[in-house]
Each structure stands twice: as structure tokens, then as C-alpha cells.
Amino acid sequence: MKEPAVTDAPSEQNQARDTPADDALIAELLPLALEAARRAGALLRDGRPDDLAVAATKSSPVDVVTEMDIAAEKLITGYLAEHRPDDGFLGEEGASSVGGSGVRWVIDPLDGTVNYLYGLPTWAVSIAAERDGETLVGVVGIPMRDETFRAVRGGGAFLNDRPIRCRPAPPLERALVSTGFNYVATVRTHQAEIAQRLIPRLRDIRRGGSAAADLSDVAAGRLDGFYERGLHPWDLAAGDLIAREAGALTGGRPGTRPGWDLTVAATPGVFEPLQTLLEEYGAWHD
């Protein structure tokens, strides 16, 4: 299945200067995103039932939606709509509206659902606000790590209240890189073949299970890079901004934005050789 490329994550750091009106809008959006992520994270962390049920499947029987995914998205969209009723929404669990304000919220209420289902700690709430196809605000909350990553366009990236930067670039052979795998078996098999070819060229590969968390960890200097095929806008919108504002480079295939075909984020010096290898190995096709 082919998905359109994400339209809210430019492949190069945006250099545009915000106007006072932009600054005022960003100052309004960021606290709302932070509070919505906090509330959803608390719901997911504290409200997880012992007998958590799968509510539906998506791309395959192993790609699941739980009752908590749906509840968290309703909480987020309800809170944001209460404060900004004219904004649009794009959410993983079905929230979709154009709105009339020019602002759209791109939401993954529970990124890493399978981790959550199994009681693993790496799952995240991802909320981004975009205007005219450009992300202005990104928040990724990782409740089980007691961490909230945030960024605004041109304002740097933060972990809780601490500024963060990506790591200094190592040689590619000493780079620690994370990736993700599709839930469709044939696609996942191809992705495993790509990882097998990459491993001898890198320090090692990790698989965390949440693209939003992986992108945030690139921003925090915990990873040298991240790549994945098959990400939707809600998977990467917030994390992409956070990574870029922390000094990382992001893109898709050479000359394109991050999106369904490929998403790459890495510290400068690792980004280009990693992207080049992924292109050479055909990481962008099923």
C-alpha cells in the first residue's frame, strides 16, 4: 500500500523568521500540546487495564488498535477542540477534519501500541501542530520514562526543561542506528534483509518499536540515526521537528522529505552516508 509523503516535515532546517503573529500562535499552541500529551499519557499509564483488549486490526492481524488508543485520541482531540474549535485534525485512529483556522493537529495517541499491549515501556504520545504544511510545534511524551520532548520551529528542542542536541557525528562504522519494521510479513522480510546488509557497516542496529521515541532519542543524542519505511504523518510529524531543532538532519530518499517511502534522521555526518546506503540497498520499496 502506497501512502502520500508527509507534507509537514521539510528535509532541511527551516530558516524562515517568524513574525510576531507567528510567535503568538506558537506560544498559544505549545502549552495546549503539552497539556494534551500529559493528560493522554496519564490516561494510558494509569488507566491500562490488566485485561487490555484489542479493539481492531489495521494493516495485518499483528498490527493492532487497543481500546486505549481510541480513548487517548478522543481525549486529545476533545481537549484541543475545546480550546481551539476551528482547528483541523489528522489522527491515527480516525480523527480527520479540515478546520477553518489554517492550523491542523497531527496526532498519534499511542505510538508503539504493540509495546503497550505487552507491557513494554517504549510507547509515546505524539502531537504536532502544523500550518500551511509546516510543523510549528511538536511534543512527544514517553510516560514510562517520565520524559516529555518538545520543540517549536526555530526555538530549539528540549527534554523536559533541558535543552538537547544530537550527538557529534561518529564515522558511520561507529554509528548506533535504530529502525522499525512493518507489520505486513512480506514487507518486514525485505526490511530485515536491508538491516542485515547494514549491520556490518554500523556499530549496531536497535529496534525500539516507536518511531516518535526513536526520533526523539536521535535529538537527545542517544542514537546516531534512525530510518524506517512506511511511516504515516502522525508517526513522524512531532519527532521530526524535535530532531531537526536538536541539530539533526532529516529527509526521505535523496532530495525528498520524510514520508511513507522512507524516513531518515541522523546527526550531521551520519545522515548522508546512511541515506546513500539505504538508497543503494533499496530500502524505499517493498
Side-chain angles (χ1 to χ4, degrees), residues 225-249:
F226 164 76
Y227 75 93
E228 188 168 348
R229 169 169 169 75
L231 294 183
H232 298 84
W234 48 78
D235 295 313
L236 65 94
D240 175 79
L241 178 66
I242 292 165
R244 287 188 287 114
E245 287 293 335
L249 300 178

Side-chain angles (χ1 to χ4, degrees), residues 35-49 52 66-77 109-110 116 123 125 143-144:
E35 180 61 16
R38 186 196 68 77
R39 293 185 180 202
L43 171 71
L44 292 164
R45 182 193 61 227
D46 301 335
R48 183 184 184 278
L52 181 64
T66 71
E67 58 196 271
M68 298 302 290
D69 295 69
I70 298 167
E73 183 162 295
K74 287 181 178 179
L75 184 156
I76 293 167
T77 56
L110 178 48
Y116 183 78
W123 50 269
V125 178
M144 302 307 292

